[in-house]
Amino acid sequence: AVNLADGKQVWAFPTAVNNNISQIVSRPGVSADVIVVGSEGASSTYSGIAYGLDRNTGTQKWCLAFDEKGASAQNCPLAAGSPTGSFLGIGPAVDDRILGGIGLTNNVAYFGLASGMVYAVDAETGKDLWHFQAERDVWAAPQVVSDTVYVTSLDHHVYALERATGNLLWKTDMGAAVAGEPTYDQGMLYVGTFGNRMAALDATTGEEKWSFTTMNW
């Protein structure tokens, strides 16, 4: 956290080098009291850990792990839907890194993992509220609009999920991987794809209204 008036550091997380907290590459989610950040997990692992920090001090309030190795390394609770059944601390080879940004709305953090799992987590307590499994990596922060959470994935789909439950409302196959965040405006979603297309979808139904061909991603 940096003071914008003079550029001086106010706090840092972690306060010192910590091999159990490696790269933090995604945009934090920020509320009045809490900042939620996603880490790749311990060095040389793809475990993935979410942290809730006090906005004023950077002090850790909670953490949430997405595999048993990460839970053990950081003494964090294991999120529902996480892979289990490890032997001697070696679990299934799943990439649980948080690579996309975190959407934080009304004290709930929404984010996806490289494994394709999407979570809604109480930002104050770290309790996982629901999860949804996409078919492949989620590289972008979910977009929350009213009662719907919109998620893009490398599995070629845009998903619309019910905000309260995570239940699937609709999904649309874009024909190529979608790595970036969707943009919402006036009932429409705008998404770009690795298939060199920009498309507009009806946000209520997922129906494609138009697309524009580009020369690259």
Side-chain angles (χ1 to χ4, degrees):
V2 175
N3 188 317
L4 294 182
D6 56 18
K8 292 183 179 179
Q9 178 178 301
V10 178
W11 55 257
F13 174 83
T15 55
V17 174
N18 184 338
N19 288 333
N20 284 327
I21 304 174
S22 62
Q23 299 181 71
I24 298 173
V25 299
S26 62
R27 172 174 57 84
V30 179
S31 73
D33 302 308
V34 181
I35 294 178
V36 179
V37 298
S39 164
E40 292 190 359
S43 297
S44 75
T45 76
Y46 282 175
S47 292
I49 305 282
Y51 297 92
L53 311 178
D54 183 283
R55 175 171 174 161
N56 295 316
T57 65
T59 304
Q60 179 179 319
K61 297 167 67 78
W62 55 263
C63 61
L64 186 65
F66 304 101
D67 64 27
E68 291 178 323
K69 184 181 292 185
S72 175
Q74 286 287 272
N75 193 28
C76 300
L78 189 63
S82 301
T84 58
S86 65
F87 177 69
L88 298 178
I90 302 174
V94 179
D95 187 347
D96 291 312
R97 292 176 296 171
I98 301 173
L99 299 175
I102 294 174
L104 207 167
T105 303
N106 292 339
N107 283 327
V108 177
Y110 303 89
F111 54 88
L113 310 181
S115 65
M117 290 291 282
V118 179
Y119 281 93
V121 174
D122 186 307
E124 292 290 339
T125 66
K127 176 177 173 54
D128 50 313
L129 304 175
W130 55 254
H131 61 276
F132 172 83
Q133 178 69 67
E135 296 173 20
R136 275 203 61 193
D137 318 39
V138 174
W139 277 7
Q143 174 76 269
V144 181
V145 180
S146 188
D147 295 328
T148 306
V149 180
Y150 298 101
V151 178
T152 59
S153 172
L154 299 194
D155 66 16
H156 299 188
H157 289 96
V158 176
Y159 296 91
L161 309 178
E162 187 176 49
R163 179 175 171 181
T165 65
N167 291 336
L168 179 66
L169 299 174
W170 56 257
K171 65 177 182 178
T172 298
D173 189 340
M174 305 303 299
V178 187
E181 296 180 19
T183 297
Y184 174 90
D185 184 61
Q186 299 182 49
M188 300 291 289
L189 281 182
Y190 301 94
V191 294
T193 79
F194 279 14
N196 303 354
R197 280 199 321 133
M198 181 73 184
L201 307 180
D202 184 300
T204 301
T205 65
E207 178 186 358
E208 184 172 314
K209 294 299 186 179
W210 57 256
S211 68
F212 176 78
T213 302
T214 60
M215 297 180 66
N216 213 313
W217 301 352

